[in-house]
Amino acid sequence: SKIKDLFNQKLLRDYQAVLTTQIAAAASSYAGTELDGTIVTPTDFHAFGAVCSQLETLGFTPNILLIHPQSKWRAILSTGTDNHFNLASIPVVGADGVMRLLDMVVVSSPKVTAGDAIIGEANLWKIIEEPVNLHLCYGVDVTTGTVSSTTVVTAVSSDVDNNRMRLIGEFFYHSFIPGNYAGSFVKFTIDTVKSALEV
């Protein structure tokens, strides 16, 4: 049971990293809104709002923010000219322990490039998955080497002979964004959107 716990923890971390990379690859870009060129000193939260505005204009409901940890904390710790924290930057943690900013669930991941972020409508990203399968079994390690340009076996080690076993874990899934929901996720560079917003 302890090995299963360790495997599941590692699997969940790797799974999240792969999904984040897939979402980033499928996301659209910031195309601009009527907010462009209207804000004197835009903050990271103005950039988030502009991207949400683009999504809502297309009929989507932005509810998830994927962001690099350093970019997340830069936004949260931002202050106004009088050194008071911006009200929008104060994170809200619900009873479920999930952090939210601007009413969006925040997913902090180093798989998102620092300075970038992704905003989207989470439930439109589809995931079809099978249960995790764990197999406990025996195996043989075969070591090869090269002798006179020929590959030869140099050593064989059996799990049975060495009082050990192998745990093989398998997890199959398919994740995708349906074609009619293209544009429901936007990947953007925060400072680039801020520049577009600035007067």
Side-chain angles (χ1 to χ4, degrees):
S1 65
K2 292 186 182 298
I3 291 173
K4 284 182 179 180
D5 286 344
L6 289 172
F7 178 83
N8 286 332
Q9 290 168 1
K10 177 75 167 73
L11 173 70
L12 287 173
R13 289 176 180 269
D14 290 349
Y15 187 28
Q16 182 188 49
V18 172
L19 284 177
T20 302
T21 302
Q22 291 176 335
I23 291 170
S28 302
S29 301
Y30 177 69
T33 68
E34 291 185 4
L35 295 171
D36 290 357
T38 66
I39 300 171
V40 177
T41 308
T43 66
D44 292 359
F45 285 90
H46 286 97
F48 300 157
V51 173
C52 288
S53 173
Q54 174 178 314
L55 288 165
E56 290 176 359
T57 300
L58 295 174
F60 300 116
T61 305
N63 57 12
I64 188 167
L65 167 66
L66 295 95
I67 191 168
H68 191 280
Q70 294 179 21
S71 302
K72 176 190 74 176
W73 286 108
R74 180 183 83 171
I76 290 172
L77 298 175
S78 65
T79 57
T81 54
D82 59 357
N83 284 331
H84 283 84
F85 287 106
N86 297 313
L87 183 63
S89 70
I90 299 173
V92 176
V93 179
D96 54 3
V98 176
M99 177 189 287
R100 289 176 172 80
L101 288 172
L102 299 177
D103 203 31
M104 292 184 289
V105 171
V106 178
V107 176
S108 180
S109 173
K111 290 298 179 181
V112 178
T113 305
D116 290 354
I118 303 167
I119 293 178
E121 185 173 342
N123 57 307
L124 298 184
W125 187 271
K126 304 302 179 184
I127 300 174
I128 302 169
E129 60 187 19
E130 294 183 5
V132 175
N133 290 313
L134 294 176
H135 307 283
L136 197 60
C137 56
Y138 293 105
V140 175
D141 289 328
V142 178
T143 306
T144 60
T146 304
V147 177
S148 300
S149 300
T150 303
T151 301
V152 296
V153 174
T154 58
V156 176
S157 176
S158 167
D159 288 344
V160 174
D161 293 340
N162 290 281
N163 192 28
R164 64 188 182 208
M165 297 186 80
R166 298 168 190 239
L167 180 69
I168 299 173
E170 295 179 321
F171 177 60
F172 297 96
Y173 75 95
H174 176 55
S175 74
F176 61 98
I177 186 77
N180 55 328
Y181 298 141
S184 60
F185 281 81
V186 174
K187 180 177 179 291
F188 59 100
T189 300
I190 299 169
D191 287 341
T192 300
V193 177
K194 285 163 66 176
S195 295
L197 295 174
E198 195 166 12
V199 174

